Amino acid sequence: MSIYTIVIHGGAGTILKEDMTPALESSYQKGLKDALNAGYDLLANGKTAVEAVLAATMSLENNILFNAGKGSVFAKDGSQEMDASIMEGKNLYAGSVSAIKNIRNPVELAYTVMTKSPHVMLSGKGAYEFAKMQGIKMEPDEYFFSQFRYDQWKQMQGSNETALDHNVVVKDLPAGQAGKKFGTVGAVALDIHGDIAAATSTGGMTNKQFGRVGDSPIIGAGTYANNKTCAISCTGHGEPFIRAVAAYDVSCLMEYRGLSLEDAMKVVVHEKLIKMDGEGGMIGADAKGNTAMVFNSEGMYRGRISSNGKNEVAIYKNNML
Amino acid sequence: MSIYTIVIHGGAGTILKEDMTPALESSYQKGLKDALNAGYDLLANGKTAVEAVLAATMSLENNILFNAGKGSVFAKDGSQEMDASIMEGKNLYAGSVSAIKNIRNPVELAYTVMTKSPHVMLSGKGAYEFAKMQGIKMEPDEYFFSQFRYDQWKQMQGSNETALDHNVVVKDLPAGQAGKKFGTVGAVALDIHGDIAAATSTGGMTNKQFGRVGDSPIIGAGTYANNKTCAISCTGHGEPFIRAVAAYDVSCLMEYRGLSLEDAMKVVVHEKLIKMDGEGGMIGADAKGNTAMVFNSEGMYRGRISSNGKNEVAIYKNNML
């Protein structure tokens, strides 16, 4: 019988056990498990990889703990601007949205761009108009609000630091919310039909300004899927991931050099990105059922379930799966 | 003595000699020569590849005949929204802007994002605010206006077609303006120091809507530069170029498979993009002084000058250089 599997991440960064309470830790674990199950249940019922990554990513977007959809971070002007993308490995179809507001599930809008428009990438107000025409679910600003993201932003705003400042450490916040984190969410999956897919969604970086776009909505940088090679979703400091064309580089190392999924991911995350000061990580799946979760930061919210028996979630570096 | 060289393009598409008047043809040739010289003069004086591609691309932006900067096409709402990007091969630094208005030279703003901000990609109003802070030259809407682009738009607007409709042929327009064209401009160069760079700028596709972003501002898709491999600038139907991660794929075929610049470009343009219905082309240079101009459309405005004696411009398929 064919293997099917799903892998998710909920962001990478300076995630340390000493900053976490047991209650918060189990909330994160529950959020990861819920998202995994949302995708895995579909796969178990014969649904496609793209449906599974969509469902898992939406589950993470709907969870206020993760920086995507509800609970997104605040930009410099106090707004919550989100980016997302999705790609299907069997036909290289892709959809992406950037700098969008008031969309309940940005990844659903990216999926709709892929399936209902001739475009790959829509941005800003235009993406919002397309969403309205397509009947995509909207929410008022209050829906996206979370007190701890607001406090994070207020503190950074006061200090005049930007979220891309590598030395920023936000203090005096609830346990688990201090430190530098790249809160992006994403999923990759292999379905029973042998197809793979990837999706990524983010609220960006706290206190970001000037309409900054990170790697999450960039096909090839934050997200990529190709049945011949791999499905990849990244999380981290977006600028180096864009300059490294990180997700597609994994695919090329597999296709042109013959590396395995995990070896290719390690070259990109532990060698290439490190040289560019590119902190973060990525999750991957291939069409043979291999999966990997690789990061160069202190931690990465992550998990995977596979029909061959794997079922696990993890947060810190030293409980590598 | 080290070779230095510059290659430019002014867009690809259905460019046929029978649609062109001799006067218009020589205007295009002059525009290409002026842009080449703007970059080459800098290279001959020991300036860098990134300065050369910036100058050549700005020259094309300032020329009303090309769809970038002045003379950009009209979006669905009658506005002129532009995208641009630039990348340096020696350090993989990159800058990009998307969905910007009223910026005289979008590629100059992309360069300023690269050199004066911690970001790679800025979009929309935020990019405009950054431009104001940096003293980037602005122009009123009238500056960007051209009658033939306006007529193109009016005709498509009336027909309710979009520019991504592959069957769109705009008729009853001045000679040389009919047919399907992907009016992007770009340049790649190698300098006397052995460094390469690439830049791309566009007004997008006529009658585009929903804040559609094409490949031009996407690092890895429309633009890429890496001293180890190549500098690439693309022009064509943006969506397949994004899905193919076209510019970075050339680099990977060179780095991981050992292909020459031209062979790698041919694999992407004549094999991979053709399979994805991706009409267009690209220009390339490597650090050894090789250059190539490859396209799968009827024509591509293009030219190159090299310190080893090459000096040529061309428009149609059958005067391949």
Side-chain angles (χ1 to χ4, degrees):
Chain A
M1 184 171 157
S2 308
I3 293 176
Y4 50 94
T5 184
I6 183 162
V7 190
I8 61 167
H9 70 78
T14 311
I15 306 164
L16 299 170
K17 197 168 174 71
E18 55 262 39
D19 294 330
M20 194 77 89
T21 62
L24 192 61
E25 195 175 280
S26 66
S27 296
Y28 274 111
Q29 285 169 342
K30 181 177 184 308
L32 292 168
K33 282 176 192 164
D34 287 349
L36 278 170
N37 289 331
Y40 191 74
D41 288 351
L42 293 175
L43 294 172
N45 286 308
K47 301 284 186 185
T48 64
V50 74
E51 291 171 300
V53 297
L54 180 64
T57 306
M58 285 173 69
S59 172
L60 292 162
E61 285 177 341
N62 294 343
N63 187 326
I64 200 165
L65 286 175
F66 300 99
N67 173 22
K70 184 176 183 163
S72 286
V73 299
F74 290 83
K76 186 89 178 174
D77 65 358
S79 71
Q80 287 164 302
E81 274 194 359
M82 302 168 288
D83 305 322
S85 63
I86 193 164
M87 188 161 183
E88 277 196 84
K90 75 174 164 186
N91 47 26
L92 306 181
Y93 289 169
S96 156
V97 288
S98 71
I100 56 163
K101 294 180 187 178
N102 298 108
I103 303 296
R104 184 183 172 96
N105 290 109
V107 72
E108 185 186 27
L109 183 54
Y111 177 80
T112 308
V113 170
M114 175 171 80
T115 53
K116 302 275 175 67
S117 91
H119 305 291
V120 170
M121 189 172 190
L122 300 185
S123 73
K125 276 189 192 167
Y128 183 81
E129 280 166 39
F130 176 76
K132 272 201 297 191
M133 275 182 53
Q134 295 290 334
I136 294 290
K137 194 155 192 185
M138 310 284 184
E139 296 289 354
D141 290 351
E142 304 83 77
Y143 170 82
F144 299 92
F145 183 89
S146 62
Q147 191 63 47
F148 65 85
R149 300 287 187 207
Y150 186 79
D151 293 343
Q152 265 180 338
W153 170 61
K154 274 291 175 192
Q155 186 167 349
M156 292 180 101
Q157 193 192 32
S159 68
N160 208 25
E161 284 164 329
T162 82
L164 284 168
D165 207 330
H166 264 234
N167 302 314
V168 167
V169 177
V170 182
K171 288 178 190 117
D172 307 323
L173 286 170
Q177 296 307 328
K180 176 171 41 125
K181 276 187 283 297
F182 305 106
T184 296
V185 307
V188 297
L190 164 67
D191 64 32
I192 201 165
H193 317 289
D195 296 319
I196 58 176
T200 308
S201 180
T202 189
M205 299 185 99
T206 301
N207 219 27
K208 71 181 172 187
Q209 58 182 330
F210 297 135
R212 177 254 185 190
V213 179
D215 64 313
S216 300
I218 308 290
I219 299 303
T223 302
Y224 185 74
N226 185 339
N227 277 4
K228 278 165 72 175
T229 52
C230 58
I232 298 288
S233 171
C234 298
T235 169
H237 185 179
E239 279 72 9
F241 279 72
I242 293 175
R243 293 164 51 215
V245 200
Y248 188 58
D249 201 23
V250 174
S251 176
C252 288
L253 284 163
M254 294 175 71
E255 183 173 1
Y256 302 144
R257 275 242 165 113
L259 267 58
S260 72
L261 174 72
E262 186 159 359
D263 286 349
M265 288 168 65
K266 284 180 173 169
V267 167
V268 175
V269 174
H270 292 310
E271 296 174 28
K272 295 197 176 195
L273 283 167
I274 290 281
K275 278 184 201 154
M276 301 169 90
D277 201 18
E279 186 177 348
M282 55 174 68
I283 54 173
D286 68 19
K288 294 175 215 147
N290 297 305
T291 60
M293 307 184 279
V294 178
F295 55 100
N296 60 34
S297 47
E298 289 294 329
M300 180 166 82
Y301 298 105
R302 62 201 185 276
R304 57 183 161 189
I305 313 186
S306 173
S307 60
N308 68 8
K310 276 195 184 113
N311 186 341
E312 38 202 2
V313 297
I315 299 178
Y316 316 107
K317 195 188 263 175
N318 294 327
N319 54 350
M320 282 299 291
L321 300 178
Chain B
M1 185 170 155
S2 308
I3 294 176
Y4 50 94
T5 186
I6 184 162
V7 190
I8 61 167
H9 70 78
T14 311
I15 307 165
L16 299 169
K17 197 170 176 66
E18 56 262 37
D19 294 329
M20 194 77 89
T21 62
L24 192 62
E25 196 174 280
S26 66
S27 295
Y28 274 112
Q29 285 169 341
K30 182 178 183 307
L32 292 169
K33 282 176 192 166
D34 287 349
L36 278 171
N37 289 331
Y40 192 73
D41 289 351
L42 293 174
L43 294 173
N45 285 308
K47 300 285 186 186
T48 64
V50 73
E51 290 171 300
V53 297
L54 180 63
T57 306
M58 286 174 69
S59 174
L60 292 162
E61 286 177 340
N62 294 342
N63 187 326
I64 199 164
L65 286 175
F66 299 100
N67 173 21
K70 184 175 183 165
S72 285
V73 300
F74 291 83
K76 187 90 178 172
D77 64 358
S79 72
Q80 288 164 302
E81 274 194 359
M82 302 169 287
D83 305 323
S85 63
I86 193 164
M87 188 162 183
E88 278 196 82
K90 75 175 166 186
N91 47 28
L92 305 182
Y93 289 169
S96 157
V97 288
S98 70
I100 56 164
K101 293 179 186 178
N102 299 106
I103 303 296
R104 182 183 173 96
N105 289 108
V107 72
E108 185 185 28
L109 182 54
Y111 177 80
T112 309
V113 170
M114 175 172 79
T115 54
K116 302 276 176 65
S117 90
H119 306 292
V120 169
M121 188 172 191
L122 301 185
S123 74
K125 276 190 195 166
Y128 183 83
E129 280 166 40
F130 175 75
K132 273 201 296 190
M133 274 182 53
Q134 295 290 334
I136 294 289
K137 195 156 191 183
M138 309 285 183
E139 297 287 353
D141 290 351
E142 304 83 77
Y143 169 83
F144 299 92
F145 184 87
S146 62
Q147 191 63 46
F148 66 84
R149 300 288 187 205
Y150 186 78
D151 293 343
Q152 268 181 337
W153 170 62
K154 273 292 174 192
Q155 187 168 345
M156 292 180 103
Q157 193 191 33
S159 70
N160 208 24
E161 285 166 325
T162 80
L164 283 170
D165 205 330
H166 264 233
N167 303 313
V168 168
V169 177
V170 182
K171 290 178 190 120
D172 307 323
L173 286 172
Q177 298 306 328
K180 176 170 43 124
K181 278 189 283 299
F182 304 107
T184 298
V185 307
V188 297
L190 165 66
D191 64 31
I192 200 164
H193 317 289
D195 295 320
I196 59 177
T200 309
S201 180
T202 190
M205 300 185 99
T206 301
N207 219 27
K208 72 181 174 188
Q209 58 182 329
F210 297 135
R212 176 254 186 191
V213 179
D215 63 313
S216 301
I218 307 291
I219 298 302
T223 302
Y224 185 73
N226 184 340
N227 276 4
K228 278 165 73 176
T229 52
C230 58
I232 298 287
S233 171
C234 299
T235 170
H237 185 178
E239 279 71 9
F241 279 72
I242 294 175
R243 293 163 52 215
V245 200
Y248 189 59
D249 200 23
V250 174
S251 176
C252 289
L253 284 164
M254 293 175 71
E255 182 173 1
Y256 301 144
R257 274 242 166 113
L259 267 59
S260 72
L261 173 70
E262 187 159 358
D263 286 349
M265 287 167 68
K266 283 179 173 169
V267 167
V268 175
V269 173
H270 293 309
E271 295 173 29
K272 294 199 178 194
L273 283 167
I274 290 279
K275 277 183 203 155
M276 301 170 91
D277 201 18
E279 185 178 347
M282 55 173 68
I283 54 172
D286 69 17
K288 295 176 214 146
N290 297 303
T291 60
M293 307 184 280
V294 178
F295 55 100
N296 60 33
S297 47
E298 289 293 329
M300 181 166 81
Y301 298 106
R302 61 202 188 276
R304 56 184 162 188
I305 312 185
S306 172
S307 61
N308 68 9
K310 276 196 185 115
N311 187 342
E312 38 202 0
V313 296
I315 299 178
Y316 315 108
K317 196 188 262 173
N318 295 326
N319 55 352
M320 282 298 293
L321 301 177

